Each structure stands twice: as C-alpha cells, then as structure tokens.
Amino acid sequence: MQELKGSRMGTEKIPKLMMELAIPSIIAQVINILYNIVDRMYIGHIPDVGAVALTGLGISAPLVLIISAFSSFAGGGGAPLAAIALGKNDKNEAEKILGNAFSMLTLMAVVLTIVFTLIKEPLLYLFGASDVTFNYANDYTSIYIMGTIFVQYALGLNLFITSQGKTKNAMFSVLIGAIANIILDPIFIFGFDMGVQGAAIATVISQTLSAIYVLRFLTSEHSIIRIRKKNMGLEIGLIKRIVSLGISPFIMQATESAIVIVFNTGLLKYGGDLYVGSMTIMQSIMQLLTVPLQGFTQGVQPIISYNYGAGNYKRVRETVRHSMKVTVGLTVSYFLLVLFVPGLFARIFTTNSDLLALVTRVLPIYMGGMWLFGVQMSAQMFFVGVGEAKKSLFIALLRKVIILIPLALILPNYFDVMGIYYSEPIADILSATTSGILLYMTLRKLPG
C-alpha cells in the first residue's frame, strides 16, 4: 500500500529515515548543479577565449536563477502543503494543490519566455556585461530562455515527488538530465564547435528529458498523488496558500540573482572583467557546498511537514536536532577545506594564470562565514516545512536583501574591490546567528 510509505514518516527512527530520504535528494541536487558546473568547466577550457566566455556565462547566471526561482513559487510552496495534507490523510487536498501548482508553472513559463525574450539585451548589460562579454552571455541566454517551460516542470514538479518520500524517483529524474548534459556538452561545444551556444542547447535538451520523466511519474500509478485534469483549474484560495509559502524559497533564489547583479556590476566597476570572472568561479564553488545542503534539507523537510501535520511535535524537534548536526558539520568541514586548498577548487574551472591567482587569494575571504551557514539552512527548512510563511520569508530576506546587498554596495567605498568580497562572510555570520535564535525560540513554543 502506498499509504504505508507515508506512515513511516511518523514511526521510523529519525536518523535512519533522514538518511533514507536525504541521501537520494543530496545526490539529485549534486547532479543538478552539474548543469551549470559542467558547462562552466568545459567553457572555461575553450582555447584562447575560455576566460572571457566563462565570464559571459557568469553574467547570464542571474537570468537563469530567476527562471529557476519561479519554479519555487509553485513547487517550493505547494510541495510542503501537499506533504502536510498527506500527514492529515487528505489525499484529495494534496492532489488539488498539485494540480494548481502544475497550472501555475505552465502559465509562468509562457509569461517568462515572452518577457525575457523581449528584454534580454538590456538585462544582460544590467547584469554586468561589457562589450567584450555581451555576445557570449547573449548566445547562452537566447537559447536557454526557449527551454523555460521544461525548467519549470523539471524543478517545480520534482519537489512533489520528494514530498511523498519518493526521493529515489526524484533523484532519477535529475540523473537523467545530468547524464545527458555531461554527454552532450562536449559534443555540442567542441564536436560541433558551437561554444557557448552548444552548452545552452545541451542544457535545454537535458532539462526536457528530466521534465518528461517527472510528468510521466506524477501521472502514473507509482505516485501517491497524481496530476489530474479536474484539479488544474486555478482556485484563488489554494493559489494564495501556495504563493504565501512559496515566496520564501522564491526569494531565496531570486535574490541570489540580485546578488550576482550587484557583485558583477561592482566588480566590473572597481576591478574589471577578470574580477567578474573570479566571482563566476567562486559562486560555482559556493554551489558545491550549498546545493548538497539544499538537497539534504529538501529530503528532511517532508519528515517535518508530515509530523507537524500529524501533531507529532516531538518528532519534529528530534528531526531538527539531527538536521542541525549534519548541516553545521558539513559547512565547517567545507570551510576548512576551502581555507587550506583554495587553488584546488579554482583549477577545476580555469587554466588562466591571472584568474587562478586572484581566486586563490580571495576565495578564503569570500567563504569566511560559511562554517555557520548550516544553521540558517536548517532554520529555513523548518519554517517552510511547517508552513510558517512569514518567518521563512524573513530569513530569506535577511541574509541577502537586508544585509548582503547593502554591504556589497557600501563596503567598496572604503575597501575598494575587496569590500565586495568582505560583504559575504559578514552577511553569512549575522544572518545565521539570527536564524538560529529564531528557530530555537519557535521550537520551544511547540506543544508537547
């Protein structure tokens, strides 16, 4: 019986359940970043123009992040609500949420494709493009935009697979696309000599394959909840609930693009294209940490949502405690690795000696606050998981909008280009500390 799978959320030992659900989700997220990481690895090693092409790809990152972020409105908001409904044994409500989320993703994909096609040129210059790097950024985004609908389905709907506890299926959907991307990238980039355009084509094809798998699974008997035509009509009440919760993960991702814009324009102004290229590499290295952690928290979140919906608050607290041990342990370990061997990471993305030297020098500074970042990720996961929209929104805004962006604009006036790198660790430490205090106070107020 499929309900047995859900009932284990309330009975299985927490550490065992966490690992069972989180490991496939971690693998899925790690595989997912290969879309960007592999693109950057190959492009950074294109003869003669690799460093400039890599910078152009970094300039296109905000647009890619915004497209991905919109999937969180429906997926990041709808999936936890569906898990809570399953915890209350209300399958019909969960399927209504899924159906409305599917319609939202479809509408958003159409709108985003049209809007970004019309305004991509001024956007890319806003994102920090120079006359040297614009063509590379434009080549990538022009093609990537055409695959927006597949990105929405692949990312947004996959969360509904995870919310059922079927993380292996969620992992497989990402695995299909990632393997395709790894295979197709060198074929299109080097074999067909298409460069940046080839990377974009490979990515769109890969996302399409992932989307097809997700749609087939969520309409099959293997899924506890299914996409049904009768549930696709938009219901205002449901949309409000999905958006109110989904706005937090949306802002978490959308503001990432705002940070890239502020960083890129500041680095271009105070340092030049080489410094913009360094940020492209460092943000890729940052993804190597944050994305696996996101996979872990996404895998754990259904446990919190299910037990919160079932009123089993003791298991909610226990899950948060175990989650905190894992996330903080990982962030501290990763920070130490970056601190002692920064050049090892830089060489993954470039062979340009100037770029290597710059990244090796500034990476330990840029990552200086990441040792505490696991606290914020656990707090964010908890508040989204229990449907606390306002608190999750506050945490989402705190680090990036309230602290990081102002610092990145102010500090260069006193420390020149290095002020931009200093802003990241200061924001990480302040926001993680605040999030941890808010999480502790909220857990104390839970009944039982």
Side-chain angles (χ1 to χ4, degrees):
M1 298 268 311
Q2 287 189 317
E3 275 67 28
L4 182 61
K5 180 76 174 179
S7 68
R8 292 182 61 241
M9 298 278 198
T11 58
E12 185 69 78
K13 290 183 179 180
I14 294 295
K16 179 181 178 182
L17 189 60
M18 279 177 55
M19 290 301 102
E20 182 180 327
L21 298 181
I23 289 176
S25 186
I26 292 170
I27 294 171
Q29 289 296 321
V30 170
I31 293 168
N32 195 37
I33 67 170
L34 291 177
Y35 283 108
N36 291 325
I37 300 298
V38 171
D39 283 351
R40 293 177 181 186
M41 287 170 59
Y42 281 123
I43 288 171
H45 289 87
I46 295 175
D48 300 325
V49 300
V52 177
L54 181 63
T55 301
L57 196 63
I59 289 163
S60 69
L63 190 144
V64 173
L65 287 168
I66 291 170
I67 291 174
S68 298
F70 272 95
S71 69
S72 294
F73 256 136
L81 292 176
I84 291 172
L86 288 175
K88 295 177 179 178
N89 201 28
D90 192 345
K91 182 178 175 181
N92 289 333
E93 176 72 5
E95 289 195 338
K96 283 184 180 180
I97 294 168
L98 172 58
N100 274 248
F102 173 81
S103 297
M104 288 175 64
L105 288 166
T106 304
L107 288 173
M108 286 188 296
V110 173
V111 173
L112 289 172
T113 300
I114 295 171
V115 171
F116 284 143
T117 298
L118 294 174
I119 65 172
K120 70 177 186 297
E121 182 173 343
L123 274 183
L124 291 175
Y125 278 109
L126 176 65
F127 295 164
S130 67
D131 291 338
V132 176
T133 58
F134 172 79
N135 287 336
Y136 294 101
N138 185 57
D139 285 346
Y140 189 86
T141 55
S142 296
I143 295 170
Y144 188 88
I145 289 169
M146 294 299 104
T148 296
I149 192 164
F150 303 114
V151 175
Q152 297 299 300
Y153 288 157
L155 298 182
L157 292 178
N158 200 35
L159 295 174
F160 285 90
I161 300 178
T162 302
S163 71
Q164 302 173 46
K166 295 181 176 290
T167 49
K168 290 181 181 179
N169 297 98
M171 176 188 71
F172 190 68
S173 75
V174 179
L175 183 62
I176 292 171
I179 291 175
N181 197 46
I182 292 170
I183 294 171
L184 294 175
D185 255 341
I187 293 173
F188 283 103
I189 294 172
F190 300 110
F192 295 153
D193 196 26
M194 297 182 70
V196 171
Q197 290 180 324
I201 292 171
T203 298
V204 169
I205 293 173
S206 303
Q207 291 283 18
T208 302
L209 294 174
S210 292
I212 290 171
Y213 177 86
V214 170
L215 288 170
R216 288 191 64 180
F217 181 85
L218 287 174
T219 53
S220 74
E221 61 183 13
H222 300 294
S223 181
I224 297 173
I225 55 175
R226 303 184 200 177
I227 299 173
R228 302 181 192 273
K229 187 176 180 180
K230 66 178 182 179
N231 294 322
M232 291 183 188
L234 295 176
E235 298 182 20
I236 299 301
L238 277 181
I239 297 300
K240 287 181 178 179
R241 290 173 58 203
I242 292 171
V243 170
S244 67
L245 190 57
I247 195 170
S248 172
F250 168 78
I251 288 177
M252 284 287 286
Q253 293 184 50
T255 51
E256 196 68 41
S257 68
I259 291 169
V260 174
I261 295 167
V262 172
F263 280 3
N264 283 350
T265 53
L267 290 168
L268 185 64
K269 176 181 177 182
Y270 291 98
D273 285 332
L274 184 69
Y275 284 82
V276 177
S278 77
M279 186 58 64
T280 301
I281 292 176
M282 290 194 298
Q283 286 170 340
S284 299
I285 295 170
M286 179 84 79
Q287 281 185 313
L288 292 173
L289 169 65
T290 57
V291 170
L293 281 177
Q294 287 171 0
F296 174 78
T297 54
Q298 281 184 11
V300 172
Q301 186 175 294
I303 306 173
I304 289 178
S305 297
Y306 183 93
N307 285 284
Y308 185 81
N312 195 343
Y313 303 116
K314 181 180 178 180
R315 283 179 66 82
V316 172
R317 291 192 186 91
E318 186 181 354
T319 303
V320 172
R321 283 197 300 270
H322 285 291
S323 171
M324 193 73 75
K325 290 177 183 177
V326 173
T327 56
V328 174
L330 287 173
T331 51
V332 170
S333 300
Y334 192 81
F335 165 72
L336 293 174
L337 191 60
V338 168
L339 182 65
F340 291 112
V341 288
L344 177 67
F345 292 94
R347 289 185 183 91
I348 298 173
F349 299 96
T350 186
T351 56
N352 181 284
S353 58
D354 293 334
L355 197 51
L356 273 173
L358 178 59
V359 173
T360 301
R361 177 167 60 91
V362 299
L363 182 61
I365 296 171
Y366 180 75
M367 301 285 282
M370 291 305 295
W371 57 275
L372 196 57
F373 195 58
V375 174
Q376 175 161 342
M377 297 203 71
S378 288
Q380 183 73 26
M381 174 267 297
F382 169 78
F383 289 120
V384 171
V386 300
E388 287 269 11
K390 291 181 180 179
K391 291 179 181 177
S392 63
L393 176 59
F394 170 72
I395 292 176
L397 291 170
L398 177 64
R399 172 178 168 262
K400 298 176 181 179
V401 177
I402 299 174
I403 302 176
L404 182 55
I405 290 178
L407 284 177
L409 293 171
I410 294 169
L411 292 184
N413 294 313
Y414 301 96
F415 302 101
D416 200 53
V417 70
M418 291 305 298
I420 297 174
Y421 299 114
Y422 294 149
S423 63
E424 183 74 39
I426 295 172
D428 290 341
I429 293 171
L430 290 177
S431 61
T433 301
T434 305
S435 301
I437 293 171
L438 185 60
L439 174 62
Y440 174 75
M441 292 173 62
T442 305
L443 287 172
R444 287 190 62 185
K445 294 178 182 179
L446 287 179

